[in-house]
Amino acid sequence: MYDGHFEEDNLTPDEAKSQADMLAWHPIMFQVARVLSSTGILKEVKSGRKKGITPETIADKLSIPLYGVKVLLEVSLSIGLTKLMAHNTYTISKMGYFWLLDKQIEINMNYVHHVCYKGMFHLEEAILTNKAAGLKELGPWEKIYEGLSLLDEPIKKSWFDFDHYYSDVAFKKIFPEIFKDNPKMILDVGGNTGKFSIACCEYNKDVKMTIVDLAGQWNRAKKNIDELGLSDRISGHVMDVLIDDPVYPKNADIVWMSQFLDCFSEEEIVHIISNASKSMHENSALYIMELFWDRQSHPVPAYCLHGTSIYFTAMANGNSKMYHSEDMRQCVEKAGLKVVKDVQVENGYHTLYRCELA
Amino acid sequence: MYDGHFEEDNLTPDEAKSQADMLAWHPIMFQVARVLSSTGILKEVKSGRKKGITPETIADKLSIPLYGVKVLLEVSLSIGLTKLMAHNTYTISKMGYFWLLDKQIEINMNYVHHVCYKGMFHLEEAILTNKAAGLKELGPWEKIYEGLSLLDEPIKKSWFDFDHYYSDVAFKKIFPEIFKDNPKMILDVGGNTGKFSIACCEYNKDVKMTIVDLAGQWNRAKKNIDELGLSDRISGHVMDVLIDDPVYPKNADIVWMSQFLDCFSEEEIVHIISNASKSMHENSALYIMELFWDRQSHPVPAYCLHGTSIYFTAMANGNSKMYHSEDMRQCVEKAGLKVVKDVQVENGYHTLYRCELA
């Protein structure tokens, strides 16, 4: 972790007050920034290059009322997305470039607006009840997973764009570790779309995979697997990992859980690891790959993970989050295993825990 | 104005990207900060002083589920409201102190949450239609002024707290200017609660005031005026200043408009000034006192004014804002007057324009 960012209070009192002052207006500033993108106004400012452009020119070109263009551009100065060349003449700032052109920022912005914004109004209720109290803004579900396929557009697209973007992990970097003892059978718990299992089969010609997931997920994964002709090597074990006495397949050389446990509370994580470990033999390993907020190399990825935590709180399930590495380690130990290897994956964001029976 | 803040792009590319990255999560961070206040969690962190406090202790004390306390505190680290003393042990930061204890920040926060948050979802519609499209979240009105007395709590309290806080202007600092030619009759256009007229009567024993406002405002003002025994010196002229051929009282030595014109579009401002100026004689002056975003001595007040602009856009009327001093000057000129004196009021926030017939 970058040293001291969460420990040292380096702001002057003036800076601290300014930060607090501005925080009170954050939802409004977010919406201004979003609408500057969605209406194409910020793109026009960019096209005005270094000589700048007036609200009048943009309003004409986009057929948007002048008042609206002008007020958004004025506020964009405070946000930092634009700069003034002269009175009423705007140019895009460096920050504006990133806001306009960075794919990850666009995905986060759409996800926060379409999936999270309305529900966040109910965050206090979510905190007090331990329930995803904001989810009622999207549909009549207890947890968002029940409703994913039923979400309206553009909510659905925003959710899946976010999910795909962050689950696109470079597995190749970790395969030397996973395959070093030449595993014959890997249990892919929470295998979802089958991406990891498919990548394993492509990496190693002999390994057999078993995906443990809910029926909906498995049916979707199976389609991908069949299309790739891998149905003799990847099988499904349809099961809700939260049931009281789950029965996992036996004799897994490796149990794999990647960005899966953050969907569960600490108590549930202990339950899942503890039960899944029954499929292990004495030389098996259980791997956990997660994004831990205390293991990021820069404050901004930690900030994004913290934002995602609150999505879990208010929108997804009301009880999970992106974890601290130490809390996950304690869950592993409570489940009767120990972390024997703790590796920071090369991309800098993911941590890989190799766990063995204690 | 502080030099260069809106003109110079002083961020490094890394800083600019970080700012843009974080902007995408602003609504979530606002809600986390708000709930840390409203639940009392941040107050408990403060009470833990320099040795710090754990989420477990706070959850016990406040009877809030541990998960909720813990996830909010983790995220508070990214916002900057707390610092870590050790794993799982939190202390309040300088920023956290301001967030918790500053009255103005609390008023802004409640106003943004209760009055503005839900409606801001509709900002794009407001921009494209020139209408307060977010107002439907509060009630079935075209403009918020129609619905103020009908707002539900705590929306109503949040609106009036905000309004009172910012209309509590130190008039005494500007009275020497207003009264230097010994005016006998002052027209207080948009006199609202009567605060300015009452202050004038207390400052000068002879002056007569006439408040021009809507019936609702005048009736409320009249109550204050009667209670103070000033009904022989302050009269009302009930009128909507936007009607086609408004008739103002004649022979005003001074026409006064304080934080009033920001409730109207530029076109409407020209209409109002132009018609109100018919009550002037050749030695009269028309004074405009406003908060101009380009005249603030620090970026933060400008930021707050810009936030307020968007309240007008999405929630209040769909066509007004906090103005740039130059745009207001142009309105004055279009109305057939000229700005003959341009004074920055001692508090640093307000600007006073003395206008005369051109």
Side-chain angles (χ1 to χ4, degrees):
Chain A
M1 184 66 171
Y2 42 97
D3 286 342
H5 177 68
F6 288 151
E7 289 79 15
E8 290 162 22
D9 195 355
N10 293 324
L11 297 182
T12 66
D14 269 4
E15 289 167 344
K17 180 165 188 311
S18 293
Q19 293 291 320
D21 276 321
M22 294 192 291
L23 178 56
W25 298 94
H26 270 186
I28 292 180
M29 297 307 177
F30 168 83
Q31 289 296 350
V32 169
R34 193 188 77 79
V35 178
L36 279 162
S37 288
S38 65
T39 53
I41 293 172
L42 194 58
K43 196 174 166 197
E44 288 305 316
V45 178
K46 176 173 160 284
S47 78
R49 294 167 182 265
K50 294 204 171 170
K51 73 180 200 315
I53 193 165
T54 65
E56 285 76 4
T57 306
I58 296 176
D60 265 4
K61 174 135 185 226
L62 299 180
S63 300
I64 296 175
L66 174 59
Y67 162 77
V69 176
K70 201 163 166 179
V71 72
L72 290 180
L73 286 177
E74 287 174 355
V75 181
S76 74
L77 291 168
S78 274
I79 304 175
L81 296 171
T82 62
K83 292 289 160 183
L84 269 182
M85 301 301 291
H87 176 55
N88 207 39
T89 305
Y90 294 81
T91 183
I92 196 166
S93 69
K94 295 189 203 82
M95 181 189 176
Y97 264 102
F98 286 110
W99 183 253
L100 191 63
L101 300 174
D102 187 284
K103 188 70 189 162
Q104 183 177 9
I105 290 173
E106 187 189 349
I107 285 170
N108 290 343
M109 175 190 83
N110 284 326
Y111 171 76
V112 169
H113 178 67
H114 293 298
V115 178
C116 303
Y117 186 88
K118 285 182 177 176
M120 281 300 146
F121 189 84
H122 309 285
L123 178 60
E124 183 166 353
E125 184 189 341
I127 293 293
L128 297 178
T129 61
N130 237 190
K131 292 201 167 123
L135 186 53
K136 56 178 165 277
E137 296 285 350
L138 304 185
W141 311 297
E142 277 283 303
K143 300 192 175 185
I144 203 168
Y145 315 106
E146 306 158 31
L148 284 182
S149 61
L150 306 169
L151 291 172
D152 294 331
E153 291 297 354
I155 303 167
K156 192 177 187 175
K157 181 180 185 323
S158 301
W159 194 94
F160 280 98
D161 282 353
F162 185 85
D163 191 57
H164 290 168
Y165 189 86
Y166 290 100
S167 62
D168 199 10
V169 178
F171 291 122
K172 282 190 182 156
K173 289 182 176 160
I174 51 157
F175 278 152
E177 166 67 26
I178 307 291
F179 283 95
K180 69 186 165 61
D181 296 326
N182 201 23
K184 301 295 173 209
M185 199 285 242
I186 298 179
L187 205 60
D188 181 7
V189 183
N192 203 1
T193 59
K195 193 177 288 195
F196 175 75
S197 286
I198 291 165
C200 284
C201 289
E202 285 166 352
Y203 182 81
N204 178 295
K205 66 178 177 34
D206 298 318
V207 71
K208 294 274 171 80
M209 309 291 303
T210 302
I211 290 177
V212 179
D213 216 323
L214 298 169
Q217 274 70 11
W218 167 244
N219 291 334
R220 203 158 44 123
K222 183 145 179 35
K223 208 166 151 252
N224 299 334
I225 291 160
D226 288 347
E227 276 170 15
L228 292 164
L230 289 169
S231 48
D232 57 329
R233 295 182 60 198
I234 308 177
S235 55
H237 186 84
V238 172
M239 186 177 75
D240 179 349
V241 295
L242 292 180
I243 56 172
D244 273 350
D245 292 299
V247 178
Y248 285 83
K250 294 285 171 201
N251 285 314
D253 299 308
I254 282 175
V255 178
W256 173 254
M257 298 173 180
S258 171
Q259 288 182 250
F260 172 64
L261 295 174
D262 47 44
C263 299
F264 300 97
S265 72
E266 293 187 33
E267 202 174 39
E268 290 167 343
I269 291 171
V270 173
H271 173 86
I272 292 167
I273 297 176
S274 161
N275 282 290
S277 72
K278 292 176 189 159
S279 67
M280 296 165 74
H281 53 74
E282 62 179 357
N283 295 318
S284 302
L286 183 147
Y287 282 100
I288 294 170
M289 190 158 81
E290 274 297 334
L291 293 154
F292 295 130
W293 61 261
D294 60 308
R295 291 291 184 88
Q296 304 306 305
S297 56
H298 190 277
V300 168
Y303 190 98
C304 295
L305 292 179
H306 280 148
T308 307
S309 278
I310 302 299
Y311 150 78
F312 284 115
T313 308
M315 307 306 299
N317 54 42
N319 66 14
S320 89
K321 60 182 170 171
M322 304 310 293
Y323 285 96
H324 189 287
S325 62
E326 198 48 40
D327 292 336
M328 186 60 77
R329 180 187 296 267
Q330 284 175 20
C331 289
V332 169
E333 289 171 5
K334 280 185 193 158
L337 286 80
K338 59 179 189 284
V339 178
V340 297
K341 199 170 199 172
D342 174 348
V343 188
Q344 203 60 17
V345 179
E346 255 181 74
N347 65 18
Y349 304 117
H350 290 85
T351 303
L352 186 66
Y353 277 178
R354 178 184 166 99
C355 312
E356 295 177 1
L357 296 167
Chain B
M1 184 65 171
Y2 41 97
D3 286 342
H5 178 68
F6 289 151
E7 289 80 15
E8 290 162 22
D9 195 355
N10 292 324
L11 298 182
T12 66
D14 270 3
E15 288 167 345
K17 181 165 188 310
S18 293
Q19 292 291 320
D21 276 321
M22 294 192 291
L23 178 56
W25 298 93
H26 270 186
I28 292 179
M29 296 308 177
F30 168 83
Q31 290 296 350
V32 168
R34 193 189 77 79
V35 178
L36 279 161
S37 288
S38 65
T39 53
I41 294 172
L42 193 58
K43 195 174 166 199
E44 288 305 316
V45 178
K46 176 173 160 284
S47 78
R49 294 167 182 265
K50 294 204 170 169
K51 72 180 201 313
I53 193 165
T54 65
E56 285 76 4
T57 306
I58 296 176
D60 265 4
K61 173 136 185 227
L62 299 179
S63 300
I64 296 175
L66 174 59
Y67 162 77
V69 176
K70 200 163 166 178
V71 72
L72 290 180
L73 286 177
E74 287 174 355
V75 180
S76 74
L77 291 169
S78 274
I79 304 175
L81 296 171
T82 62
K83 293 288 161 183
L84 269 182
M85 302 301 292
H87 176 55
N88 207 39
T89 305
Y90 294 82
T91 183
I92 196 166
S93 69
K94 295 189 203 83
M95 182 188 175
Y97 264 101
F98 286 110
W99 184 253
L100 191 63
L101 300 175
D102 188 284
K103 188 68 189 164
Q104 183 176 10
I105 290 173
E106 188 189 348
I107 284 170
N108 290 343
M109 175 190 83
N110 284 326
Y111 171 77
V112 169
H113 178 67
H114 293 298
V115 178
C116 303
Y117 186 88
K118 285 183 177 175
M120 282 299 146
F121 189 83
H122 309 286
L123 178 60
E124 183 167 353
E125 185 189 341
I127 293 292
L128 297 178
T129 61
N130 236 191
K131 293 202 167 120
L135 185 53
K136 56 178 165 277
E137 296 285 351
L138 304 185
W141 311 297
E142 276 283 303
K143 300 192 175 185
I144 202 169
Y145 315 106
E146 306 158 32
L148 284 182
S149 61
L150 306 169
L151 290 172
D152 294 331
E153 291 297 354
I155 302 167
K156 192 177 187 175
K157 181 180 185 323
S158 301
W159 193 94
F160 280 98
D161 282 353
F162 185 86
D163 191 57
H164 290 168
Y165 189 86
Y166 289 100
S167 61
D168 199 9
V169 177
F171 291 122
K172 282 189 183 157
K173 289 183 176 160
I174 51 157
F175 278 152
E177 166 68 25
I178 307 291
F179 283 95
K180 70 185 164 62
D181 297 325
N182 200 23
K184 301 295 172 206
M185 198 284 242
I186 298 179
L187 205 60
D188 181 7
V189 184
N192 203 1
T193 59
K195 193 177 289 195
F196 175 74
S197 287
I198 291 166
C200 284
C201 289
E202 285 166 353
Y203 182 80
N204 179 295
K205 66 178 177 34
D206 298 318
V207 71
K208 295 273 171 78
M209 309 291 304
T210 302
I211 291 177
V212 179
D213 215 322
L214 298 169
Q217 274 70 11
W218 167 245
N219 291 334
R220 202 159 44 125
K222 182 143 180 37
K223 208 166 150 252
N224 299 334
I225 291 160
D226 288 347
E227 277 171 16
L228 292 164
L230 289 169
S231 48
D232 56 328
R233 296 182 60 198
I234 309 177
S235 55
H237 186 85
V238 172
M239 186 178 75
D240 180 349
V241 295
L242 292 180
I243 56 171
D244 273 350
D245 292 299
V247 178
Y248 285 83
K250 292 286 171 201
N251 285 314
D253 299 308
I254 283 175
V255 178
W256 174 254
M257 297 174 179
S258 172
Q259 287 182 250
F260 171 64
L261 295 174
D262 47 43
C263 299
F264 300 97
S265 72
E266 293 187 32
E267 203 175 38
E268 290 167 344
I269 291 171
V270 173
H271 174 85
I272 292 167
I273 297 177
S274 161
N275 282 291
S277 72
K278 291 175 189 160
S279 67
M280 296 165 75
H281 53 74
E282 62 179 356
N283 295 317
S284 302
L286 183 148
Y287 282 100
I288 294 170
M289 190 159 80
E290 274 297 332
L291 293 154
F292 296 129
W293 61 261
D294 60 308
R295 291 290 184 89
Q296 304 305 305
S297 56
H298 190 277
V300 168
Y303 190 98
C304 295
L305 292 179
H306 280 147
T308 308
S309 278
I310 302 299
Y311 151 78
F312 284 115
T313 308
M315 307 306 299
N317 54 41
N319 66 14
S320 88
K321 60 183 170 168
M322 304 310 293
Y323 285 96
H324 189 287
S325 62
E326 198 46 41
D327 292 336
M328 185 60 76
R329 180 187 296 267
Q330 285 176 19
C331 289
V332 169
E333 289 172 4
K334 280 186 193 157
L337 286 79
K338 59 179 188 286
V339 178
V340 297
K341 199 169 198 173
D342 174 348
V343 188
Q344 202 61 17
V345 180
E346 255 181 74
N347 65 17
Y349 304 117
H350 291 84
T351 303
L352 186 66
Y353 276 178
R354 178 184 166 99
C355 312
E356 296 176 0
L357 296 167

